[in-house]
Amino acid sequence: MSQGHLRWALAYVRPYAGALAPVVVLSLLGTAFSLVLPYLSRALVDDGLLGRDFATLLRIVAIFLGITALSFVFNVIAGLRYTRVSADILFDMRLDLYTHLQRLSPRFYASTRLGDIVSRINNDIGEVQRVTSESALGWLGNVVYLVGTVGMLVWLDVRLFLVGLIMVPPSVWALARYRRRLEDSVRVLRERSADIGSFLIETFLGMRLVVGSNAQQREATRFRSHNDAFVRSLLSMRLLSYLAGGLPALLLGLGTAIVFLYGGWRVIAGATTLGTFVAFMAYQMRLLTPVQGLMGIYANLASAQASLARVRQLFETQPDVTEPTDPIRVETAHGVLDLEHVRFGFGNRLVLDDVSLRIESGQVVALIGASGSGKSTLADLLIRNLDPDAGQIRLDGRDLRTLSLEDLRHHVVVVDQDPFVFHASVAENVRYARPTATDAEVAAALDAAGLAELVATLSDGVDTIVGERGRSLSAGERQRLAVARAFLADPAVLVLDEATGALDPATEARVLAGYDALMRGRTTIVITHRPALAQRAHRIILLRDGRIVADGPPEVLAARDPAYRALFDERAAAPIA
């Protein structure tokens, strides 16, 4: 893991240094006790067994049991404390990424798979947090244990210690060699896991199409293909993990075998006592633990490196829209909108080209035009999901880019053509933008959106759960639920983006009166292909290829503008579903 990446990850651990301090202290105490236990074997053999002293034997066993019990208690306390702090660190990481993702524009979500985002915020951050926290604590305990063990080995028999070092260099070489390959393998595994997540989310959302197209077997085959790719990546990663961790351990084990032979020869030759040799071998066997622990930390960093790179890629994605340094707070808004020479494009495609217009407070404006003419993009600009490439948009004379985003999105509300509905009750969905609304206000909003009759027929009324993405409701009912939500939010500027697009003409006629109540007294921009809704506007603006080509009252455009008549004649001949 690069130094910059490691510093970034450890920044999440530092605020919990105080909470982790007891864990470190207990871990060090446990390490100290562990260093004492092997030395007891020397006295046990030389003084207790070979010296035939039962009292010494009892004393040594009692010390051994006491130290073992204390180590157990310390480990339990430290483990529980670490688990709690580790969970807090994990949430901090996820919360920061979730907050960052909230600031990214629709363009990001249009080009990034949802399953990949979920995989990074769940699996990858979990892996980064695990390795970072374990590394921050594990290296200290392992280093202290290693230094203490080496000290005891040198003190007991320096010659045996030097023999035991023979296999350390090849072990380190093997670890470094396979660790680099392991990084790439882990990255591929994370990508294959994200592929499965994206596949499942996509097919679950489109299950009606899958079943209706008799594509169940085809999608099951695709699922198997994704899973096979994941399994291949998993096996490759596991093999490299074994080579990165197991091969160095195998070489160190060979070094231990050499120590056995040489140490046994020294005991036979009378160069050292049996108790000293037993104690030395106890330390030698335990020497593998911190060495393997440090090697394991080093190998785990390969896994964290791949995950961290994927997480940092999301963090490094810059938002198209940012909060101003010193935002202007807007307590009340009149709803006067001014667009001056606004230009906006996606890549090389110009969507809005030199658009200038003024919409007065309380005016209802219908924005019409062919698909792709820039109508919905204009809605995104008004709530700063996007910012114009050139030009300026003002609310009550103030540039939107100078306003508090929270205040702007309180005073300007967009109802999308395909609005999002949560897996919650009708009332909870309506209250989403204004959680403190009373039951009476919710009922009034539902009535204004033409949903009162429907709600009366539901089993639990406004407390009825509408299902994932509101699937228990029709497309038109979901639209009306979003309109009720907007009514309750009571914005100064309301943008209805094809808000009746999913309604049949008869239903549309029934709810338009409610829409009149919704639009009355507030600036309203109606993006529509429906003549009935456009005719209710004070003014109609026709967009073509990102430019305003007509602007005026409905009756004037209907009488004089051929482009306006042609657009609705075309729609009448081929209505949009």
Side-chain angles (χ1 to χ4, degrees), residues 193-220:
S193 176
D195 289 342
I196 291 178
S198 296
F199 168 82
L200 291 174
I201 290 173
E202 184 177 51
T203 52
F204 284 152
L205 293 176
M207 191 58 71
R208 291 183 63 182
L209 175 62
V210 172
V211 175
S213 301
N214 293 316
Q216 298 96 319
Q217 188 57 46
R218 186 164 69 248
E219 295 301 338

Side-chain angles (χ1 to χ4, degrees), residues 36 61 77 102 113 157 170 189 270 310 313 460 464 481 484 548:
V36 172
V61 170
I77 296 173
Q102 289 177 325
R113 297 180 306 173
D157 195 320
L189 179 66
R310 285 164 50 81
Q313 186 180 28
D460 295 318
T464 302
L481 190 63
I548 296 176

